[in-house]
């Protein structure tokens, strides 16, 4: 992508050793302005990525699917609070065994249910995720 990317990070469950995860690699891509699609979308499409979701009302989020691997590429604008949030959660779960186990139990319990939409599963984890984030933030991570 050249000069457009500001940060690229492996995020979510597959980025946490020992954490149960779906076989989907989640990547965070931070660009100067994710709403300015002409500045980065053509390069991603040329590499085989497909834009699947636009969420202008939620941090100007864009989601691309990977070309040959099951990848969710999450694009955010630099300075978005969501960037800090996903990195804090990932880093905390890498180092805190108790919260890693709590999160794993929560995910496994919720994964056993039938969900009409994937977002409903994500929303159901919110209470536990927010509690974990609060502990991580108190610890200074």
């Amino acid at each position: 992508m050249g000069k457009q990317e500001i940060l690229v990070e492996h995020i979510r469950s597959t980025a946490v050793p020992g954490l149960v995860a779906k076989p989907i690699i989640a990547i965070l891509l931070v660009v100067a302005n994710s709403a300015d699609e002409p500045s980065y979308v053509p390069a991603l499409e040329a590499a085989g990525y497909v834009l699947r979701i636009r969420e202008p009302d939620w941090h100007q989020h864009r989601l691309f699917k990977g070309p040959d691997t099951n990848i969710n590429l999450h694009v955010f604008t630099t300075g978005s609070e969501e960037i800090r949030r996903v990195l804090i959660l990932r880093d905390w779960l890498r180092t805190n065994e108790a919260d890693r186990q709590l999160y794993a139990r929560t995910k496994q319990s919720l994964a056993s249910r039938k969900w009409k939409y994937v977002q409903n599963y994500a929303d159901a984890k919110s209470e536990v995720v927010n509690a974990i984030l609060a502990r991580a933030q108190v610890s200074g991570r």
Side-chain angles (χ1 to χ4, degrees):
M1 257 188 47
K3 297 178 182 179
Q4 294 306 318
E5 75 272 4
I6 294 170
L7 178 70
V8 178
E9 291 280 343
H10 183 194
I11 57 170
R12 313 264 186 202
S13 297
T14 59
V16 179
L19 183 60
V20 62
K22 293 178 280 193
I24 302 170
I25 305 297
I27 303 294
L28 168 69
L29 172 63
V30 180
V31 297
N33 179 0
S34 56
D36 181 15
E37 292 182 13
S39 72
Y40 67 93
V41 171
L44 289 173
E45 289 177 336
Y49 288 87
V50 177
L51 178 60
R52 293 284 172 89
I53 298 173
R54 275 187 188 93
E55 295 179 298
D57 295 334
W58 187 68
H59 306 275
Q60 285 294 335
H61 176 246
R62 304 302 192 266
L63 174 77
F64 291 79
K65 291 301 287 182
D68 57 4
T69 302
N70 198 351
I71 294 174
N72 285 342
L73 178 67
H74 299 271
V75 183
F76 291 99
T77 298
T78 186
S80 169
E81 177 60 26
E82 188 62 12
I83 298 164
R84 190 176 79 79
R85 189 174 149 351
V86 298
L87 294 176
I88 288 171
L89 180 64
R90 178 204 62 191
D91 294 347
W92 179 256
L93 291 175
R94 284 177 173 174
T95 62
N96 187 287
E97 178 70 24
D99 276 340
R100 186 170 52 251
Q101 288 180 10
L102 169 63
Y103 188 55
R105 285 191 308 273
T106 302
K107 287 177 52 152
Q108 289 172 321
S109 172
L110 294 172
S112 68
R113 299 183 194 171
K114 297 271 187 208
W115 300 96
K116 184 173 183 178
Y117 301 106
V118 173
Q119 187 59 46
N120 298 136
Y121 164 78
D123 292 344
K125 295 186 299 184
S126 293
E127 185 177 330
V128 169
V129 167
N130 290 337
I132 292 170
L133 281 167
R135 285 190 288 279
Q137 291 167 342
V138 165
S139 80
R141 293 260 167 129

